[in-house]
Amino acid sequence: MRVLLVEDDDRVADALTPALVRRGLAVRRLASGAGVLDLVTEVDVVLLDLGLPDVDGIVLCRQIRTVSDVAIIVVSARGEVDDRILGLRAGADDYLVKPYDVDELVARVHAVRRRRSDRGGGPSGVVELDGVRVDFDRHEVTVDSAPVSLSRKEFQVFALVVDAQGAVCGREQILAEVWGRAGAAENRSLDVHVATLRTKLGRPALIETVRGVGYRLSGQPGRLA
């Protein structure tokens, strides 16, 4: 999942960015509001601090919402009820008050992405890589034009990895979106599903394991539609 962190405090950004990367997120960071509107089409979630040096975060949140339906989570030290209401009314999907737990932040990131997928904001169209063709809309996969039968969870796992477009798709994200929880049984089930996918696709190297983090494609898929 691609995250844009809009945070002016270098100490916060320097601590948060590697923590998010370790949890399977691809992070870009801007220290001000300049350039944010140019990047929102390239990310899945915006983590937006309100105390920016060049623009008030509430104003920027409204500006983002006028040009994009990207998920926005406000992360701010402004913790009063009126501040939270203002942020949500400006278009934010969620509001988290500093200081916060990183795992809670990641859980909220996955939750807002999952809610958007549930209402039709998930991946769509067709992509192809190394003879493997994925039709997100039809929930179909073919290998060298031959159909491959996948279970619902197998397709969901593969779709998440493919949609990451070569970035790491974190285990926590997959477990949250496919299983709804991240217990020991679900972790083992994920490993089994990935092993089965590699066998069914006949491309053992297509899905790479990033130890302790998650999975990614070994190449960049091309979008056909």
Side-chain angles (χ1 to χ4, degrees):
M1 192 183 304
R2 302 160 297 174
V3 173
L4 176 60
L5 173 62
V6 187
E7 171 62 65
D8 69 314
D9 191 323
D10 290 336
R11 291 175 300 175
V12 172
D14 290 346
L16 181 58
T17 298
L20 295 178
V21 171
R22 285 196 300 271
R23 289 163 174 79
L25 306 181
V27 182
R28 300 181 68 171
R29 182 248 176 155
L30 291 177
S32 69
V36 169
L37 298 182
D38 296 327
L39 292 179
V40 292
T41 59
E42 302 176 15
V43 299
D44 302 302
V45 179
V46 176
L47 301 180
L48 178 63
D49 180 37
L50 298 183
L52 300 173
D54 57 343
V55 62
D56 184 86
I58 294 296
V59 174
L60 181 57
C61 186
R62 293 194 185 104
Q63 292 173 342
I64 293 171
R65 193 51 75 223
T66 62
V67 300
S68 173
D69 193 40
V70 67
I72 303 171
I73 300 178
V74 170
V75 283
S76 174
R78 302 180 193 174
E80 298 297 324
V81 172
D82 287 345
D83 294 317
R84 298 199 295 271
I85 292 174
L86 194 59
L88 294 170
R89 285 180 174 172
D93 296 273
D94 202 350
Y95 195 114
L96 190 59
V97 179
K98 297 176 180 177
Y100 50 79
D101 181 84
V102 175
D103 287 325
E104 181 183 358
L105 174 60
V106 172
R108 288 174 183 254
V109 167
H110 292 320
V112 297
R113 176 69 185 276
R114 185 167 62 252
R115 287 197 297 268
R116 287 173 172 270
S117 296
D118 288 344
R119 66 175 188 247
S124 61
V126 180
V127 299
E128 186 168 354
L129 174 67
D130 190 24
V132 179
R133 182 184 177 101
V134 182
D135 188 324
F136 292 112
D137 301 315
R138 295 177 178 270
H139 282 216
E140 294 176 350
V141 175
T142 60
V143 176
D144 296 332
S145 300
V148 177
S149 178
L150 299 180
S151 70
R152 180 176 61 86
K153 277 189 168 63
E154 287 167 355
F155 182 85
Q156 289 175 319
V157 170
F158 191 43
L160 287 170
V161 175
V162 171
D163 191 46
Q165 301 180 54
V168 176
C169 189
R171 292 182 67 91
E172 292 181 2
Q173 176 189 352
I174 298 173
L175 291 168
E177 297 198 23
V178 178
W179 278 268
R181 54 175 295 175
E186 289 76 22
N187 269 278
R188 289 193 297 270
S189 182
L190 171 56
D191 293 334
V192 171
H193 277 72
V194 171
T196 303
L197 275 169
R198 288 169 172 153
T199 299
K200 287 186 175 182
L201 296 172
R203 304 284 196 278
L206 181 62
I207 304 175
E208 296 181 348
T209 299
V210 181
R211 190 172 298 279
V213 180
Y215 302 94
R216 67 183 173 200
L217 291 181
S218 58
Q220 186 77 16
R223 187 167 290 276
L224 303 179

